[in-house]
Amino acid sequence: KNQVEQSPQSLIILEGKNCTLQCNYTVSPFSNLRWYKQDTGRGPVSLTIMTFSENTKSNGRYTATLDADTKQSSLHITASQLSDSASYICVVSGRGSTLGRLYFGRGTQLTVWP
Amino acid sequence: NAGVTQTPKFRVLKTGQSMTLQCAQDMNHEYMSWYRQDPGMGLRLIHYSVGAGITDQGEVPNGYNVSRLKKQNFLLGLESAAPSQTSVYFCASSYPFSTDTQYFGPGTRLTVL
């Protein structure tokens, strides 16, 4: 069964600290993996998209890694800011997919405290 | 360039009432989708469209219908609302390639009493 599991479910860190969010998936065949940021009360916003051949991609203070062999991805946030408080969603697309084959994780709720 | 817009932002319905959620995008995207998001669950695909006049079912289509007469608009209908349809609904659009970014609207919060 194609699934996307994220951990931890929630995380609290202090402003300025780094953190890493995890995503494990069983989607096969694999096409790409996306990380989204969703602020409370708003729609998700894309942070990164990685294909099978990419193992790291950065977007400012956000760095995503992908290990297609172990089917794991991580999102590392550097020097966290209060505005990083949000839900971070991992989404995996199956190869040859249309929109009907996007598999969504349940998200990690990150809270950054001053 | 407004991106993806959704109307209304909030709505309260009584069981059995009908309504239409509207979604519009100004990015000339071929693909559009409707998702629902419930507490503790990931986004779930309701219906999607790969072009004007072409729609297909997603993971949770029961109780919903869709219409895409024009490329820029995608409508989600609830014919007879049920409390189980209380949720936040998101519309999204993108170009057709699997690596293209999906752009989400701000959401519609629907409560069915």
Side-chain angles (χ1 to χ4, degrees):
Chain A
K1 183 179 180 182
N2 292 312
Q3 288 185 315
V4 177
E5 300 288 342
Q6 293 187 241
S7 62
Q9 187 174 0
S10 62
L11 181 62
I12 299 174
I13 62 173
L14 293 177
E15 187 178 14
K17 297 298 185 182
N18 303 335
C19 68
T20 300
L21 314 180
Q22 300 290 342
C23 174
N24 296 336
Y25 62 92
T26 59
V27 177
S28 182
F30 170 86
S31 174
N32 60 76
L33 184 145
R34 309 155 185 246
W35 282 96
Y36 286 89
K37 178 187 179 188
Q38 185 176 21
D39 292 318
T40 301
R42 310 190 76 166
V45 174
S46 179
L47 293 175
T48 64
I49 299 176
M50 289 184 292
T51 62
F52 181 87
S53 60
E54 298 173 295
N55 56 26
T56 187
K57 183 167 280 189
S58 292
N59 179 356
R61 294 179 297 101
Y62 301 100
T63 299
T65 64
L66 173 65
D67 185 334
D69 291 331
T70 61
K71 298 186 177 180
Q72 296 180 325
S73 175
S74 64
L75 180 69
H76 186 73
I77 303 175
T78 304
S80 62
Q81 300 176 359
L82 298 180
S83 59
D84 292 331
S85 294
S87 177
Y88 291 84
I89 303 170
C90 176
V91 184
V92 179
S93 174
R95 191 182 307 164
S97 68
T98 64
L99 293 173
R101 291 187 186 177
L102 288 178
Y103 300 93
F104 286 78
R106 297 186 178 186
T108 292
Q109 183 65 46
L110 175 65
T111 303
V112 181
W113 283 2
Chain B
N1 189 337
V4 180
T5 58
Q6 293 181 234
T7 55
K9 286 185 170 53
F10 303 93
R11 186 72 185 269
V12 178
L13 290 179
K14 294 181 180 179
T15 297
Q17 288 184 317
S18 64
M19 78 162 294
T20 299
L21 282 66
Q22 301 187 19
C23 176
Q25 51 93 7
D26 60 2
M27 295 173 281
N28 203 34
H29 287 162
E30 285 84 358
Y31 281 16
M32 296 186 75
S33 309
W34 278 104
Y35 295 89
R36 61 177 289 173
Q37 187 175 41
D38 301 297
M41 300 191 70
L43 284 153
R44 292 184 292 171
L45 182 66
I46 304 171
H47 284 280
Y48 65 100
S49 169
V50 299
I54 307 170
T55 63
D56 205 348
Q57 296 181 350
E59 179 186 358
V60 289
N62 292 341
Y64 306 96
N65 57 74
V66 289
S67 171
R68 192 169 180 201
L69 298 178
K70 296 182 180 180
K71 188 177 186 178
Q72 62 267 34
N73 300 114
F74 196 28
L75 307 181
L76 179 69
L78 286 73
E79 291 185 345
S80 180
S84 61
Q85 294 177 304
T86 294
S87 188
V88 181
Y89 292 86
F90 289 99
C91 176
S93 73
S94 71
Y95 290 115
F97 300 108
S98 65
T99 53
D100 286 322
T101 299
Q102 254 191 324
Y103 294 87
F104 283 82
T108 293
R109 183 174 294 275
L110 175 66
T111 301
V112 183
L113 302 176

